[in-house]
Amino acid sequence: MFTIIIPNYNNASWLDQMFESVYKQTYDGYSIVFVDDCSTDNSFEIARNWRDKFNELPGWYGDFKIIENAHKRWNGGSRNVGLKSSTTLIGNYVLFLDSDDYFADEHCLEDIVGVIEANHYPDLIRLSYIVKDANGEFLSDLGDQDTVEKIVANCNVACWTKCVKTNKVVEFSENTLMEDVAQHIKQLDSIETIATTHKGIVVWNRLNENSCSRNPELQNGKWRSSLYRHYADLLDLQVSKPECQLELERRRAIALDNIKNDRFEQ
């Protein structure tokens, strides 16, 4: 049913938590593609140990592929590597999971399958999620976002808030810190049928100070080029749905204003 694509860069300290959350799933119809983006820690060794553990999991017949990027691809490029892997053909749906995040409980995949079957295999399932930060945990309920119009203009653009049919999923911008928005709009332009979950599926870990979105040293020298690339990606993007076109125009205006004010935000 699922291919779970996991990009990673130097998140060794969070990998056990993430892999454990997948390993404990009560639904076992999934494969894993772990794409390491030139990590300098022991991420590869940890992933390899978990691959051995998954291969010994009773009743699990999926594939666990580990890919090491030959050069830096950033999150968007690493996800594209996972999408292009032949392993993705095994699953009917693609799920993205960042390597410092994790599934909320052991029933998450089973619950998504229930939504898929109850809604006659929709193109996209909008996934609610849980935010975890220094103040605790709280639910971000996206369960009422059941149309393209409601989803495309929402600020929750992260790819892990969407489970998408393998033949509908679209690729990401590469070599940038700002890969989410253009892909979000293009993804919504490509689908027709939608289902939703009110239950939080992924726990968004805001405690990782070394993530691409929070580490100023990692962003140094990259954020300004990302601003311009993001604007160029939006200018190049062509969509057909009126609601997607409206959001695209809004995002283009925001991106241009951010460039003028040297402001790093999406």
Side-chain angles (χ1 to χ4, degrees), residues 30-44:
Y30 62 87
S31 290
I32 296 169
V33 184
F34 181 85
V35 185
D36 188 74
D37 195 32
C38 304
S39 291
T40 57
D41 60 12
N42 62 330
S43 290
F44 181 81

Side-chain angles (χ1 to χ4, degrees), residues 15 18 52 107 114 166 173 200-201 206 215 224 229 235 258:
L15 291 184
M18 181 274 296
D52 293 342
H107 300 294
T166 302
S173 302
I201 300 298
R206 299 291 289 160
N215 185 345
R224 184 169 282 109
R229 186 166 288 108
L235 288 177
N258 288 340

Side-chain angles (χ1 to χ4, degrees), residues 7-16 36 39 41-43 46 75 98-101 208 210-212:
N8 175 75
Y9 175 70
N10 279 357
N11 275 331
S13 60
W14 302 101
L15 291 184
D16 284 335
D36 188 74
S39 291
D41 60 12
N42 62 330
S43 290
I46 294 171
N75 277 345
D98 286 354
S99 58
D100 55 349
D101 297 336
N208 182 9
N210 292 318
S211 68
C212 288

Side-chain angles (χ1 to χ4, degrees), residues 29-88:
Y30 62 87
S31 290
I32 296 169
V33 184
F34 181 85
V35 185
D36 188 74
D37 195 32
C38 304
S39 291
T40 57
D41 60 12
N42 62 330
S43 290
F44 181 81
E45 179 183 352
I46 294 171
R48 187 169 52 191
N49 290 338
W50 272 101
R51 180 177 61 187
D52 293 342
K53 189 172 182 178
F54 272 88
N55 287 334
E56 296 174 354
L57 182 62
W60 186 69
Y61 300 102
D63 187 23
F64 191 132
K65 177 173 270 189
I66 300 174
I67 301 173
E68 292 183 279
N69 289 339
H71 60 274
K72 189 71 176 171
R73 301 288 294 267
W74 302 88
N75 277 345
S78 295
R79 294 183 185 118
N80 289 344
V81 169
L83 287 173
K84 292 173 182 176
S85 166
S86 60
T87 307
T88 60

